[in-house]
Amino acid sequence: MKPLSLLSATAALALSAIHPLQAETFSAEKTGSIYQAYGSVSQNPLYVANAAPSPNHTHQWEAYVAFDLSSFVTGTTITSATLELRTSSVAAGFLIGFGGYTYASLSGQSFSFSVAAADSDYNTLTWAGRPTSSGPVSQGIFTYTPDGNDDYVSYWLSVDVTSIVQNWIDNPEDNFGFHLYVGSPTFTGVAFEGGNGAFGPKLTVVPEPSTWAFIAFGVGGLVLYSRRAGRRSAAAA
């Protein structure tokens, strides 16, 4: 049992050096969105929208958000991963301008968008060459709430992306970031704060509980082994 305790403790210390000991919240490494009509790129805000064709062009925006997850060792199991996005009231402007809404008609309206893993990097964005999606798709829903001043309340919106992030931890080479888009042909749109500041996208990842149990067991074993070793040394003296 004594060698086992030492082995467990050593393994736990090694694990704690490469695995987060608590939930980690990451700020975005890079963000961007692209507008179909002109191929223009916005870093902040991030637009995610789809509009019916106008006389000149179709209004579509897609966004990309990437996080550095290299602090997780390959194969680590997680309990959950949550993408947090801060809505921007600028979204109301293009919903009114392109979608035919009014501030009054937007009150209480809910819209949905899709979040998936981008299938390639997006250092240089053009609409034709933009990354698309692969793997599982999560759904985000946001609701416009008026603030009483012909504007809309900005708030944090959460999307469960556990399966996407678990795949990235298992296969780090697949982590090109999230692809945010509107799958429905019906007009919908939202804008999120971009960048890596206080209101930029966040990703919170929670390790599997068994990891905590293993670490606790290992540390306990190390303490027990140290005490027994100390007693043996005292007795020998």
Side-chain angles (χ1 to χ4, degrees):
M1 292 299 294
K2 294 175 184 177
L4 179 59
S5 296
L6 178 60
L7 178 62
S8 299
T10 303
L13 290 175
L15 181 62
S16 66
I18 57 177
H19 190 285
L21 296 184
Q22 58 184 3
E24 272 201 281
T25 298
F26 302 86
S27 293
E29 182 180 24
K30 56 184 176 180
T31 63
S33 62
I34 186 165
Y35 181 27
Q36 179 192 22
Y38 306 120
S40 57
V41 176
S42 169
Q43 301 299 324
N44 191 8
L46 303 176
Y47 298 99
V48 183
N50 186 30
S54 71
N56 298 316
H57 46 253
T58 298
H59 300 286
Q60 281 186 276
W61 293 261
E62 295 181 0
Y64 302 87
V65 180
F67 296 87
D68 180 1
L69 301 178
S70 59
S71 61
F72 286 94
V73 65
T74 302
T76 296
T77 301
I78 63 173
T79 297
S80 66
T82 305
L83 176 64
E84 297 171 279
L85 302 163
R86 176 87 174 183
T87 61
S88 171
S89 60
V90 71
F94 67 72
L95 277 172
I96 292 169
F98 295 129
Y101 290 92
T102 64
Y103 277 104
S105 66
L106 276 178
S107 179
Q109 288 275 359
S110 293
F111 301 92
S112 64
F113 63 97
S114 299
V115 178
D119 62 1
S120 60
D121 204 352
Y122 58 94
N123 286 320
T124 302
L125 279 175
T126 62
W127 184 261
R130 74 193 189 285
T132 54
S133 301
S134 63
V137 178
S138 298
Q139 294 296 316
I141 299 176
F142 56 96
T143 302
Y144 282 97
T145 304
D147 66 0
N149 296 307
D150 283 337
D151 207 342
Y152 286 82
V153 176
S154 294
Y155 66 96
W156 286 99
L157 180 155
S158 298
V159 182
D160 182 358
V161 290
T162 305
S163 58
I164 297 173
V165 173
Q166 182 66 72
N167 180 65
W168 287 343
I169 293 175
D170 294 339
N171 305 280
E173 68 279 5
D174 291 342
N175 181 7
F176 298 110
F178 295 104
H179 176 207
L180 284 63
Y181 62 97
V182 177
S184 170
T186 303
F187 185 85
T188 184
V190 67
F192 300 111
E193 300 288 348
N196 57 7
F199 292 138
K202 302 288 186 287
L203 179 65
T204 299
V205 183
V206 180
E208 186 180 58
S210 61
T211 298
W212 290 87
F214 178 69
I215 291 172
F217 173 75
V219 172
L222 178 60
V223 172
L224 179 61
Y225 179 84
S226 298
R227 286 179 177 175
R228 289 181 176 177
R231 288 171 184 168
R232 285 198 301 270
S233 297

